[in-house]
Amino acid sequence: MVTDPILTGKICPYCGKESELIDSAEVYGESYGAMYICRDCNAYVGCYSGTTTALGRLADADLRKAKMRAHLYLDQLWKDRRHRRYSTYTWLSKQLGIPRELTHVGMSDIEQCRRIAEICRSRLIQEGVDFETWPGD
């Protein structure tokens, strides 16, 4: 179980302050459930549906973009008929050299998100999978 207060959205990784639990309507104008926010840094993270458990660390605009890019490639890889979600994350944890429990885009910093995107994009290319690319890639 991950208990690090940064990786669980309780502490802002940018300023070190405690995050605030809010309804996502404050950020999106519509409620998608709970989320954590650091108003000073404009960093936030959503929560698993119906819970107050953060999906990972708070992210500023640059990290949110990096997370979206990482998910674009990772999700296409595990959704490919040759892969399963659990085995893809197990494979990725070995590629990254980190424990399986920490292999989560939501817990990743910007550099790790870039590595995830590149590792997964390379695997998609290697396997000849027709996949959607991130603009500029």
Side-chain angles (χ1 to χ4, degrees):
M1 183 166 99
V2 178
T3 58
D4 182 301
I6 289 179
L7 298 181
T8 58
K10 305 290 191 213
I11 300 291
C12 178
Y14 306 102
C15 70
K17 292 181 183 174
E18 189 173 332
S19 61
E20 178 184 349
L21 182 65
I22 64 167
D23 186 280
S24 59
E26 287 189 48
V27 172
Y28 299 117
E30 184 175 336
S31 181
Y32 299 100
M35 68 186 311
Y36 289 92
I37 188 168
C38 175
R39 295 180 193 279
D40 292 346
C41 299
N42 192 31
Y44 49 85
V45 64
C47 293
Y48 287 98
S49 182
T51 74
T52 58
T53 302
L55 289 163
R57 68 185 328 147
L58 274 69
D60 65 7
D62 290 336
L63 181 52
R64 288 190 296 271
K65 185 175 179 179
K67 285 181 179 186
M68 287 187 284
R69 181 173 178 259
H71 263 298
L72 174 73
Y73 295 117
L74 176 60
D75 293 354
Q76 290 180 94
L77 184 61
W78 72 257
K79 288 177 182 176
D80 180 68
R81 71 189 186 318
R82 292 170 279 192
H83 302 280
R84 295 291 178 260
R85 187 175 190 156
Y86 185 84
S87 61
T88 299
Y89 275 86
T90 300
W91 165 81
L92 184 58
S93 74
K94 291 176 185 172
Q95 299 300 306
L96 296 170
I98 62 174
R100 170 70 174 77
E101 68 183 24
L102 298 178
T103 306
H104 190 299
V105 172
M107 292 181 194
S108 299
D109 62 20
I110 200 161
E111 287 307 316
Q112 193 167 25
C113 283
R114 288 178 181 147
R115 284 190 65 212
I116 291 168
E118 292 310 313
I119 290 167
C120 293
R121 184 176 184 273
S122 293
R123 178 100 183 244
L124 289 163
I125 291 168
Q126 176 187 8
E127 294 184 0
V129 175
D130 185 28
F131 63 95
E132 179 184 350
T133 60
W134 188 261
D137 281 355

